[in-house]
Amino acid sequence: VTEQPYLAGLRLSGRRVVVVGAGTVVRRRLPALLEAGAVVTVIAPEVSPTVEALAGEGRLTWVPRDYRDGDLDGAWYVVVATDSPVANAAAAAEAERQRIFCVRADDAPAGTAVTPATGRHGAVSLAVLGGGDPGRAATVRDGLLEALRAGAVDDRAIRPVPEHDSGTTSALPGVALVGGGPGDPGLITVRGRELVARADVLIVDRLAPQALLALAPAHAEIIDAAKLPRGRSMLQETINELLVGRALEGRFVVRLKGGDPFVFGRGSEEVEACVAAGVPVTVVPGVTSAISVPALAGIPVTHRELAQEFVVASGHVPPGDPRSSVDWTALGRLRGTLVLLMAVENLASIATALVAGGRAAATPVAIVQEGSLPGERVLHSTLEAVGDEARRTGIRPPAVVVVGPVVRVRPRG
Ligand SMILES: C[S@@+](CC[C@H](N)C(=O)[O-])C[C@H]1O[C@@H](n2cnc3c(N)ncnc32)[C@H](O)[C@@H]1O
């Protein structure tokens, strides 16, 4: 009968763990040991710069020499991973003598403990042993994690930890504002995907990645925010009421937004509405279109020689309009990169205001329409010509406008 290891989770916080050796195996194990709070001593004549830095910061102790008998005194757990089988055997023998569980990197069956492939999903930790085949363990672990993320394995008992929990209604699963990224469903965060997969209610913006709705549980109610009564303030009020109302019914509400919830997304107003109603709310940041849409078109918003700053502004109100709080004259003096969102409609007057403020008329401009989506289109122009060219070529929102020399770094069109 093959011996079956007994699986246990070690609580290592504040406990001495000795690592003998400092090669690749050690670099892979150290982060988890430190994360578990272990008091780690590494014994090795030479270590990587990362381990040296950790020692310098006092996060572990480095003993810069070869292993000696007695080094394991007081340890609860030992990882042996030098490139000398003789030293490994000696350290393992001491561990055996001192009754300390010992992992042997060079000869796993000779150790008294084995390291599983591990993973985490919310509060759930996974540990998989592959019957002596680490590749098999990692594959199974990856598959289980993916199943949890996609909601194929039911983990509905897990809820996001609320950031703004009022304390009075903490039994409520609450609301998560999730940034969906620019549109490609692959550009949401892992956490965002997980939460979409366990939503009871999804309130979805027009520019949020619609393909992600396929991940929602079968019972989920999907509310299309684009179809709610129009008028800017009316729409926001209705959304706030829906968020709070559905959450107070005890359902977990995911508010799926385009890009990042706090970049021109009125996310803070939604947080405030939840807090005011005593509903726990958590924010999952997203990949904002302001940076990612230019990047997908090959345009870096900063560049060591061309742009030491980038400024993101909204162009939804034209220059000179009493509702505008943007100082277009100041932005005209900018030498680096200006990224404009919601600017297609007012592009001609914005370009004129920037030139009036001092920006050269020949400054390169790119407009990226529907970045990351099948209809992605890029127009290259200059400040003096962009108003006419955008109109002539029929550029439509959603589009990100980039002004500055970075536009020329790797033009694609
Ligand atoms: C109301 S703002 C929301 C921005 C969002 N919170 C973010 O961080 O990307 C909407 C504007 O974002 C820009 N935008 C969003 N997704 C885009 C995409 N896939 N392609 C181009 N522009 C996009 C457009 O300028 C659009 O008018």
Side-chain angles (χ1 to χ4, degrees), residues 196-209:
V196 168
R198 63 174 98 118
D200 298 316
V201 180
L202 266 163
I203 304 180
V204 188
D205 266 357
R206 193 173 52 86
L207 289 181

Side-chain angles (χ1 to χ4, degrees), residues 182 207 258-260 263-265 288-290 293 341-342 368 370-371 373 398-400:
L207 289 181
D260 181 275
V263 178
F264 304 130
T288 180
S289 64
V293 165
L341 268 55
M342 297 179 276
V368 189
E370 291 173 58
L373 296 166
V400 171

Side-chain angles (χ1 to χ4, degrees), residues 178-188 196 204-214 256-259 372-373:
V178 175
D184 179 330
L187 293 174
I188 190 173
V196 168
V204 188
D205 266 357
R206 193 173 52 86
L207 289 181
Q210 306 296 314
L212 290 170
L213 300 183
L256 185 61
K257 301 169 83 75
S372 86
L373 296 166

Side-chain angles (χ1 to χ4, degrees), residues 12 16-31 33-34 38-47 51 60-63 65-67 71-72 75 77-82 88 91 102-103 105:
L12 292 176
R16 175 168 153 82
V17 171
V18 178
V19 175
V20 183
T24 322
V25 176
V26 170
R27 285 192 51 192
R28 286 177 44 182
R29 302 275 182 268
L30 269 182
L33 289 170
L34 294 173
V39 180
V40 174
T41 298
V42 175
I43 299 171
E46 280 167 21
V47 294
V51 174
L60 54 77
T61 304
W62 171 31
V63 180
R65 58 161 172 76
D66 285 321
Y67 161 79
D71 277 345
L72 310 187
Y77 192 67
V78 179
V79 177
V80 172
T82 76
N88 289 348
C102 172
V103 174

